[in-house]
Amino acid sequence: MSISVQNISKSYKDFKAIEAISFDVNEGELFGLIGPDGAGKTTIFRILTTLLLPNEGMANVAGFDVVKEYKSIRNSVGYMPGKFSLYQDLSVEENLQFFATIFGTTIEENYDLIREIYVQIEPFKKRRAGALSGGMKQKLALCCALIHKPKVLFLDEPTTGVDPVSRKDFWEMLKRLQQKGITILVSTPYMDEAALCDRIALIQKGRIFEIDSPKNIISKYPKTIYAISAKNTHQLLHDLKAYPSQYSVFAFGEFIHYIDQKNNFNSADLQYYLESKNHTEIEIHIATPTIEDVFMDLTALEH
């Protein structure tokens, strides 16, 4: 087991950031913490990388206790925080050399691990880190997190604020790193990225609701979801929320995802209701559930 978390809690005065969090990550697994901003993901990362002490519970990373053996953990993990935290005034090359020196290694010694990523930023190796684009900063930060060949890699919302092409490239890089035996714990607010993980934990307001593979989470979802569209989307959203038997209504791309309270729901009745509200170009069809649908439902149940 690369990561083991047992009933970890952390509070800041009267605010509970995380409460009784438990999960395990297997060796070589790509595990995702999926949830919105403020869910507690960064607090978990900071505890597991020994930057914060938990108020309660126990955690082990790479076989070491996060409190008693924090120095061993710091030599065994790579951490890429959500905010770009490299030295802006140092060049690409200087940042990499600096982090290699801190960990008592060299760029040459572990170059095989970062080669595929570094070749994309090597043409800019003399450029200051602060002058790089978002995607290039991301690649440099990943190289610095990998330069000492960590056993476990922590990536806190690594694709936030990055363009879609760079996001796709980044996840492809993660899959290749996983094939090299590195355990990866990644957090993201993007529900579409959840499907790229081996297993995920859905987290909201400091609590984990469910842990499983994305496929299993979706296949277990019992409710029928309807995708609905009409000419006036804003008014459609308002009128669906006012429908007497609605259970859940939220915007999903060009459609609105709708769940009804009734098991014997008849879409024709809803069509008639929407027509009575002067909606035109109405389309109603059954939609395939997504991780976002499951997450929205779980958080609605909590409320």
Side-chain angles (χ1 to χ4, degrees):
M1 199 71 64
S2 283
I3 302 172
S4 179
V5 178
Q6 299 172 32
N7 295 312
I8 287 287
S9 296
K10 179 66 181 179
S11 298
Y12 301 96
K13 294 185 178 180
D14 296 331
F15 175 70
K16 287 187 176 181
I18 55 172
E19 185 176 2
I21 294 289
S22 297
F23 64 90
D24 295 320
V25 181
N26 300 315
E27 282 191 26
E29 187 173 25
L30 176 49
F31 189 96
L33 287 178
I34 313 298
D37 292 342
K41 304 186 299 294
T42 297
T43 298
I44 294 171
F45 272 68
R46 288 177 177 168
I47 289 172
L48 295 179
T49 54
T50 75
L51 300 176
L52 272 180
L53 291 172
N55 297 125
E56 299 173 13
M58 297 174 58
N60 283 273
V61 176
F64 302 109
D65 185 277
V66 294
V67 177
K68 299 173 184 175
E69 300 170 294
Y70 65 93
K71 288 183 179 178
S72 297
I73 288 177
R74 291 177 183 180
N75 287 323
S76 303
V77 306
Y79 178 38
M80 186 174 158
K83 185 179 180 181
F84 184 70
S85 58
L86 302 183
Y87 293 96
Q88 307 261 9
D89 291 335
L90 293 184
S91 68
V92 167
E93 191 175 44
E94 288 167 342
N95 265 291
L96 203 51
Q97 287 173 342
F98 175 76
F99 281 93
T101 302
I102 282 179
F103 286 104
T105 186
T106 63
I107 297 173
E108 293 74 25
E109 188 175 346
N110 293 320
Y111 187 70
D112 282 350
L113 188 60
I114 66 166
R115 179 194 289 116
E116 191 177 348
I117 309 163
Y118 187 64
V119 292
Q120 300 176 52
I121 57 175
E122 195 169 17
F124 314 102
K125 65 182 180 180
K126 300 298 182 184
R127 184 177 295 181
R128 289 196 307 171
L132 296 173
S133 66
M136 290 298 177
K137 283 181 177 178
Q138 178 198 57
K139 291 179 176 70
L140 175 58
L142 183 58
C143 283
C144 290
L146 289 168
I147 195 59
H148 59 297
K149 204 171 185 179
K151 296 177 182 176
V152 184
L153 185 60
F154 291 91
L155 306 171
D156 191 4
E157 299 195 359
T159 57
T160 300
V162 177
D163 65 89
V165 173
S166 294
R167 275 177 63 191
K168 182 175 180 292
D169 288 346
F170 190 83
W171 277 90
E172 288 174 355
M173 285 188 287
L174 293 191
K175 287 292 185 180
R176 289 191 287 270
L177 287 171
Q178 185 188 13
Q179 290 168 6
K180 295 180 180 179
I182 297 175
T183 302
I184 302 171
L185 179 63
V186 60
S187 69
T188 178
Y190 299 124
M191 298 295 164
D192 59 315
E193 294 184 344
L196 303 173
C197 300
D198 297 326
R199 286 190 304 138
I200 59 173
L202 300 179
I203 182 171
Q204 167 74 310
K205 292 186 177 179
R207 295 179 59 202
I208 287 177
F209 292 95
E210 189 163 0
I211 300 173
D212 209 332
S213 69
K215 184 179 179 181
N216 286 346
I217 287 175
I218 291 171
S219 67
K220 290 187 294 185
Y221 189 65
K223 297 183 177 71
T224 302
I225 298 168
Y226 293 86
I228 304 174
S229 65
K231 189 170 184 179
N232 188 336
T233 303
H234 178 73
Q235 189 60 38
L236 176 65
L237 185 66
H238 178 270
D239 290 336
L240 285 173
K241 286 182 177 179
Y243 192 60
S245 61
Q246 70 88 8
Y247 170 81
S248 171
V249 178
F250 69 93
F252 192 92
E254 61 184 310
F255 290 93
I256 292 171
H257 276 196
Y258 174 89
I259 302 174
D260 200 87
Q261 296 175 21
K262 298 177 180 177
N263 292 327
N264 60 343
F265 169 73
N266 186 344
S267 62
D269 292 338
L270 181 59
Q271 174 101 15
Y272 178 78
Y273 165 78
L274 293 175
E275 288 172 353
S276 73
K277 296 291 184 179
N278 299 316
H279 285 283
T280 59
E281 300 176 24
I282 300 165
E283 181 182 341
I284 303 174
H285 65 265
I286 294 175
T288 302
T290 67
I291 289 295
E292 185 168 358
D293 290 307
V294 177
F295 186 85
M296 294 293 284
D297 193 12
L298 288 170
T299 53
L301 285 171
E302 178 67 12
H303 293 317

